[in-house]
Amino acid sequence: MAAACVGALLVVVTVLALPRVLGDAPESSARTGTRCVAETDAPVAALEEQRARWVRFCPLTDEGSAQRLRHPQGVVVGDLAASVAAGLWQTQLDRPVCAPGDPPAARPTGLFRIEVGLADGSVAEIPGDTGCSTRDLTLFNQLESTLLMDAAGAAGPAGATPEPVTCPRRPTTGRTNRDGTSADRLVETAEDPRQSTVPLLPLPATTVDVCAYTGQGRQRTLVEQWQVGSPVAESVRAAATVDVRRGAMTDCAVDPTRPSYVVVLTDQTGTARTLTIDGSECGTLAAAIGTPPQDTWLGLATARLVRQVARSGP
């Protein structure tokens, strides 16, 4: 846990020292030509040869994929785009190529796609899979952290630490959500819900509340509750984004002795969204996604994510 926290702090310090990023307002994209394109026309090697004008996450070309990662919207421009693109290029050197049928990776599959707009007007594409290699995971985390931290800077100073949540009698995603000024960043824009990339939270998590239960169904019993702040809260949010077996079905015996959790992530504006992990049924993961929040099945939490939540207490 200590290593994860230190890593999160280093990302925050690095990003705060860099210039601002533009939000994903339609007028800014139209003015600067930073929208995703229908077809890219530059090789990845062009990142070494030309200065980047913008960098952003874009929808997967395979619109039916159930393995897509959720990520913030927005676009990196200017000097920061050039700096981020240089880092992206470094991750491409000696990067392994994963193909269907390769041995299972240490992390579950999480697909994403990055586009980079270059000085000559061409656009390069970098596809990634967080289950393929640690380089792909670093690639995703680098751009995700940049976009989240810029959104946090634009949102203004953090408010007071929220009061601890009132834990529901049984795990549910519907009773512990709140809308702060950042909630409009979670409005769904995908025409097909299966294409949704709305993130769990619009800004970095500054607080996490955890309610721990034992039992199953109506026999659930709340056994413990705690609240902690950053960087632990942000580490939990980051883990809940990538440490998910998307599309996986339960394949273990029901065990009421395994703990279950309600996890409430809150950002600096007071926007709070809830996750539930049903430990009695293989770690089934659901979340309140979007504005207004909708109960959404995400897959199965990995053992790594369950440990992160369980060990997040003070």
Side-chain angles (χ1 to χ4, degrees), residues 12-262:
V12 170
V13 170
T14 300
V15 172
L16 288 178
L18 293 170
R20 289 286 309 280
V21 183
L22 286 181
D24 194 26
E27 62 273 15
S28 67
S29 292
R31 184 175 62 252
T32 59
T34 57
R35 287 191 181 278
C36 298
V37 299
E39 185 174 346
T40 57
D41 54 3
V44 175
L47 272 66
E48 186 182 33
E49 302 164 358
Q50 294 191 56
R51 182 179 177 84
R53 293 178 51 246
W54 55 268
V55 183
R56 67 179 305 152
F57 287 116
C58 288
L60 297 178
T61 53
D62 177 11
E63 299 299 348
S65 173
Q67 305 299 322
R68 69 186 67 250
L69 281 173
R70 295 182 177 275
H71 53 69
Q73 301 300 309
V75 55
V76 183
V77 298
D79 292 341
L80 182 52
S83 176
V84 170
L88 299 183
W89 168 245
Q90 289 300 315
T91 67
Q92 303 309 298
L93 303 177
D94 300 322
R95 177 180 174 217
V97 177
C98 297
D102 284 352
R107 291 181 179 272
T109 295
L111 304 179
F112 63 94
R113 192 170 70 89
I114 294 171
E115 285 186 0
V116 182
L118 301 171
D120 67 355
S122 62
V123 178
E125 171 186 297
I126 304 176
D129 176 357
T130 56
C132 173
S133 69
T134 56
R135 291 196 178 197
D136 279 29
L137 180 62
T138 299
L139 182 67
F140 177 81
N141 287 341
Q142 180 182 5
L143 184 53
E144 182 201 43
S145 297
T146 302
L147 292 168
L148 288 173
M149 290 306 302
D150 179 73
T161 300
E163 292 295 321
V165 303
T166 299
C167 291
R169 292 181 60 186
R170 302 182 189 91
T172 175
T173 66
R175 297 182 181 176
T176 46
N177 303 300
R178 297 184 300 274
D179 285 355
T181 58
S182 64
D184 60 351
R185 293 176 175 267
L186 296 178
V187 174
E188 180 63 80
T189 59
E191 295 182 3
D192 185 340
R194 293 173 298 179
Q195 300 174 16
S196 175
T197 56
V198 172
L200 304 178
L201 205 63
L203 310 179
T206 56
T207 306
V208 61
D209 288 85
V210 178
C211 308
Y213 303 79
T214 57
Q216 185 187 26
R218 294 184 176 276
Q219 304 304 314
R220 301 276 189 190
T221 301
L222 177 67
V223 293
E224 194 174 4
Q225 175 180 6
W226 62 86
Q227 182 188 80
V228 290
S230 290
V232 174
E234 175 57 11
S235 295
V236 171
R237 183 213 60 78
T241 298
V242 297
D243 287 326
V244 182
R245 300 194 183 282
R246 281 158 283 274
M249 303 299 292
T250 55
D251 59 357
C252 64
V254 172
D255 184 353
T257 66
R258 288 193 291 258
S260 297
Y261 302 95
V262 168

